[in-house]
Amino acid sequence: MKKSIERVFTRPEQVGMVGDGFRVYNFIPRGVTQQRLSPFLMLDFAAAFNFSPTDKPRGVDVHPHKGFETVTVAYKGSVAHNDSAGNSGVIHPGDVQWMTAGAGILHKEYHEENFAAKGGVFEMVQLWVNLPKKDKSAQPHYQSLTKENIGKVALPGDAGEVNVIAGNFNGNAGAAETYTAVNLFNVKLKSEASLTTGIPASHNTALLVVEGSINKMVKK
């Protein structure tokens, strides 16, 4: 069974700032309601932007998260983080951080010190995934998925590559363990290439075009 494309959104005209380090375009819930795309609560796209060097890393100071998961996908530049439980780390280009806030955590994110000092192009996506009611009080924890341990699937005909972050792509399991049945793929298609995959009929589906353009999308 094929699904039709319900809506197409262009990039919002207005860009917002999260702290002083994350210059983002909001697609969920600005473009579509959270209820329509459950379990996805929010999607911010920090489009490529060249930050000048600074000796004081830009970012967003301590803020709370509770009852959902944050998924940070880094494309360019590096993001550092730490939290109220003493956890810390750096998300480099190609890496993904899957944070389960669960029962609640205080968290802050900022440009990694070396990247901030040199300056450069910064680009990332952050997606929030709701937790099922039974898991909202789960112990907070992280999954740090480096580009080396995220599965890569070469597409037939040298059409490109799919990084399987979570769920299952054509029989290839994702690296992340999830509380909700979620498929999350980073797709890199070459010019004029196409992709076919199966998506459960009960799933809500969305596609963010980071670079380039797409003529049509087929969903089964």
Side-chain angles (χ1 to χ4, degrees), residues 6-95:
E6 182 178 313
R7 296 180 69 181
V8 177
F9 300 93
T10 57
R11 181 187 294 182
E13 292 184 5
Q14 183 178 0
V15 64
M17 290 297 298
V18 180
D20 63 355
F22 303 100
R23 184 178 180 274
V24 302
Y25 296 92
N26 178 260
F27 285 88
I28 305 172
R30 180 181 294 272
V32 60
T33 66
Q34 295 168 331
Q35 290 83 0
R36 177 62 188 88
L37 272 180
S38 177
F40 306 117
L41 298 175
M42 190 207 73
L43 191 148
D44 274 346
F45 172 42
F49 184 80
N50 195 349
F51 283 91
S52 60
T54 177
D55 59 0
K56 182 181 179 182
R58 303 174 177 92
V60 57
D61 209 350
V62 177
H63 55 281
H65 289 312
K66 184 177 181 180
F68 59 90
E69 301 181 287
T70 69
V71 183
T72 303
V73 184
Y75 291 107
K76 298 173 184 176
S78 297
V79 186
H81 70 95
N82 55 48
D83 67 23
S84 53
N87 300 301
S88 63
V90 178
I91 312 163
H92 294 290
D95 296 346

Side-chain angles (χ1 to χ4, degrees), residues 100-112:
T100 302
I105 199 164
L106 296 175
H107 181 72
K108 68 177 181 178
E109 299 159 290
Y110 44 94
H111 294 186
E112 186 271 331

